[in-house]
Amino acid sequence: MSTIERAEVFVASPGRNFVTLRITTSDGVTGLGDATLNGRELAVAAYLREHVVPLLVGRDPARIEDTWQYFYRGAYWRRGPVTMTAIAAVDTALWDIKGKVAGLPVYQLLGGRSRDAVMVYAHASGTDVPSLLDDVARFRDLGYRAVRAQAAVPDVGGTYGVRKGSVYEPAASALPDEQPWSTEAYLDFAPTYLEAVRDRFGFDFHLLHDVHHRLTPIEAARFGKRVEDCRLFWMEDPTPAEDQEAFRLIRQHTTTPIAVGEALTSIWDVQRLITEQLIDYVRTTVVHAGGITHLRRIFDLAALHQVRTGSHGATDLSPVTLAAAVHLDVAVPNFGIQEYMEHAPETMEVFRSGVRFADGALQPSEAPGLGVEYDEKAAERFPYEGRYLPVARRLDGSVHDW
Ligand code: GCO
Ligand code: MG
């Protein structure tokens, strides 16, 4: 029987910080898992090194489900982003290995294709409305069929989602950047630029918007109602999702579709949202929600309740997560859309991925496994640098949800 011989944790910063797990079997087969938790990278690296790797060595790499149960139930302590990201890395690496052993791309192990391609949405942003419109035009010219639009709220610095350089990177400072927030200014301004996008480009493409957990349920309800004529594909994270019940109030007031879940880590965190149809798209991802095994379980629950998938895919999720996501996206019946931002060139030097973009959609690699290789030597050129996500404060100085 083949056994797990080695599991190595790599922490590097090619373009941004990534934590990567590589499992090697006694037959010399390797598998990769992403273990990146933005701004908390070393916590997951330590959890893996201290508490997971010693228990992995000697196990049967073919027993993916059993290994998942062992690290979830066997830890006694449940859920939480650090634990679930570590379990995800193990699970993803074992699917990669299973694919390589079988000589099949992972999507074939998941039941094969349900669709020909995976529609993605791009991130358009602007420091003002004209620059946002230029950015939307650029993505449409690149062939995207779905675009998310975010613009800086006038006179309120540091609005979420506005790109500074060519790559959007919120975790850019050694200590958390403190950014001001005004709900009143946002609620007055955001609907006007979404309308400006529709006025200029019409309705032949999908328009999305990320509220990024900033509103109360009744504010979110007002926002959703106000933008109904923009026919958004979704409004994302209108209110923080710890309180699943809060979404019922939003739902009672607006037909604007709702997407939630990028910061949630287990099926229990989205159970009511899904079973009571309080959302339309579930944004949990491979890396933060326990890997391919657990995410598929969430997606299957979602399918029963006509909730579709819309996995998180910002650049703080490594190309290993993107590859795994695209294998799932192409296979599950209830796929909705996949978030996609191009990684920095340094990132792609270290992660050689077979995922391909064409006509506003992604294709999984046809190579056995996930189709991603990690270049350890190249990664050595990019040492880890501590970086935090920003913190938001209301204009009176109190802390708000970022
Ligand atoms: C998105 C997300 C990201 C997150 C980031 C946090 O919709 O893409 O909201 O931009 O803020 O991934 O690490
Ligand atoms: Mg988001």
Side-chain angles (χ1 to χ4, degrees), residues 38 148 160 168 210 212 236 262 283 312 314 316 339 402:
N38 205 0
R148 169 187 120 151
Y160 162 77
Y168 172 64
D210 191 348
H212 217 258
E236 178 178 333
E262 67 177 48
R283 277 182 52 72
H312 189 200
D316 51 289
E339 181 178 17
W402 178 77

Side-chain angles (χ1 to χ4, degrees), residues 97-289:
I97 289 171
K98 195 177 275 301
K100 288 180 183 174
V101 170
L104 292 171
V106 165
Y107 76 82
Q108 293 290 13
L109 307 179
L110 298 171
R113 280 179 188 266
S114 286
R115 61 190 47 75
D116 300 328
V118 167
M119 179 173 69
V120 296
Y121 69 90
H123 278 217
S125 75
T127 48
D128 53 21
V129 178
S131 61
L132 168 65
L133 295 179
D134 289 348
D135 215 30
V136 173
R138 184 170 70 86
F139 284 115
R140 282 170 52 84
D141 291 346
L142 288 168
Y144 284 89
R145 287 173 270 151
V147 179
R148 169 187 120 151
Q150 311 288 136
V153 179
D155 306 323
V156 184
T159 315
Y160 162 77
V162 180
R163 211 175 48 237
K164 288 199 188 86
S166 58
V167 174
Y168 172 64
E169 181 51 79
S173 50
L175 288 174
D177 184 20
E178 301 213 351
Q179 301 179 343
W181 173 252
S182 162
T183 296
E184 294 80 358
Y186 169 81
L187 282 175
D188 282 346
F189 178 61
T192 66
Y193 68 72
L194 294 172
E195 282 161 2
V197 171
R198 283 307 195 196
D199 283 348
R200 163 93 176 266
F201 301 101
F203 285 82
D204 71 340
F205 71 107
H206 296 300
L207 179 61
L208 298 81
H209 177 69
D210 191 348
V211 181
H212 217 258
H213 330 269
R214 299 290 167 90
L215 301 177
T216 64
I218 198 68
E219 289 163 355
R222 181 179 135 203
F223 178 82
K225 217 166 147 178
R226 168 76 168 77
V227 299
E228 270 170 19
D229 288 345
C230 293
R231 281 191 255 146
L232 295 187
F233 188 88
W234 75 37
M235 66 169 169
E236 178 178 333
D237 289 327
T239 198
E242 293 98 313
D243 180 8
Q244 298 182 49
E245 185 59 28
F247 288 81
R248 197 180 310 281
L249 188 143
I250 305 175
R251 229 21 177 185
Q252 280 160 357
H253 291 282
T254 179
T255 56
T256 296
I258 301 172
V260 173
E262 67 177 48
L264 303 178
T265 62
S266 84
I267 200 163
W268 307 107
D269 302 315
V270 291
Q271 183 184 22
R272 189 183 309 184
L273 293 175
I274 290 173
T275 58
E276 300 188 24
Q277 294 179 327
L278 302 178
I279 59 171
D280 302 279
Y281 297 91
V282 61
R283 277 182 52 72
T284 40
T285 52
V286 169
V287 57
H288 300 134

Side-chain angles (χ1 to χ4, degrees), residues 61-73 84-96 98 106 109-110 265-267 284-301 324-325 327-328 332 370:
R63 297 192 178 204
I64 299 179
E65 181 68 47
D66 184 63
T67 301
W68 196 95
Q69 300 293 336
Y70 182 80
F71 283 106
Y72 183 83
R73 295 176 191 239
M84 295 304 278
T85 302
I87 296 176
V90 172
D91 184 80
T92 309
L94 294 182
W95 279 98
D96 193 14
K98 195 177 275 301
V106 165
L109 307 179
L110 298 171
T265 62
S266 84
I267 200 163
T284 40
T285 52
V286 169
V287 57
H288 300 134
I292 292 173
T293 298
H294 194 62
L295 194 60
R296 188 167 62 168
R297 205 149 274 153
I298 294 175
F299 286 178
D300 283 344
L301 179 68
H327 284 290
L328 262 168
V332 297
L370 293 172

